[in-house]
Amino acid sequence: GAASYAAALRALRAGEVVGVFPEATISRSFTVKEIKSGALRLAQSADVPLVPVALWGGQRLFTKGLPRDLTRGRAVTIAVGEPMRPPRRGDGDALTAELRARMQALLDDAQAQHPDQPEPGTDAPWQPRHLGGTAPTSEEAAVLDREEVAARRAARKQG
């Protein structure tokens, strides 16, 4: 947490590029989850641009709740958006919402353009429900995430 943030801030101030996954975990619904404010706070503190990025296709290889499939030749799309230059004292909630919206737009486009589409009528747990797949909805995924966190806490208490 705090040590990682401090290291990232030092790297940004030294002119390095730092990658942050602001969702903090893989989305089981394959839509953009609520995001954390750390990426935005880093950009504001270091006075650097924030570049929204979306990845699509990697969930076919490795993701939560599905078996690994390291089949060669799977397409992976990396969509890079226009940089945001958040003001140092900008409204954090509004800027975080803007980042999330930009990430979702990039993801929507990547999903629509991706060459690996499921056959109609087939089980596609790696495709979001709104695109005809069988992945959990955002609401169902949130429940699964809470259950996973609770199970980890319980395991820590026992061990």
Side-chain angles (χ1 to χ4, degrees):
S4 296
Y5 183 90
L9 188 56
R10 279 192 305 277
L12 288 169
R13 288 181 173 155
E16 298 293 325
V17 174
V18 174
V20 175
F21 288 92
E23 294 173 277
T25 189
I26 296 170
S27 169
R28 296 173 194 264
S29 67
F30 307 121
T31 58
V32 179
K33 297 171 57 139
E34 291 303 314
I35 63 175
K36 310 290 184 195
S37 63
L40 173 67
R41 289 184 295 116
L42 281 168
Q44 287 176 312
S45 296
D47 193 25
V48 297
L50 184 60
V51 181
V53 175
L55 306 173
W56 186 247
Q59 82 287 356
R60 294 292 312 270
L61 304 169
F62 183 79
T63 195
K64 284 184 177 183
L66 296 176
R68 291 182 187 152
D69 179 358
L70 301 178
T71 303
R72 290 180 182 261
R74 293 252 190 245
V76 175
T77 298
I78 303 171
V80 180
E82 291 294 320
M84 297 172 58
R85 192 74 137 150
R88 283 185 174 246
R89 299 205 187 328
D91 178 350
D93 290 340
L95 290 165
T96 299
E98 180 183 349
L99 174 60
R100 184 180 182 281
R102 287 184 182 208
M103 290 171 57
Q104 187 63 59
L106 289 168
L107 181 59
D108 290 344
D109 188 54
Q111 289 169 332
Q113 303 298 320
H114 199 73
D116 191 7
Q117 300 291 332
E119 294 292 325
T122 61
D123 182 35
W126 47 269
Q127 185 83 340
R129 189 86 53 90
H130 72 276
L131 293 177
T134 57
T137 64
S138 299
E139 296 79 16
E140 292 166 343
V143 170
L144 292 169
D145 288 345
R146 285 191 298 272
E147 289 171 353
E148 180 183 16
V149 168
R152 275 198 221 133
R153 284 185 183 142
R156 276 195 298 259
K157 283 182 180 179
Q158 289 180 349

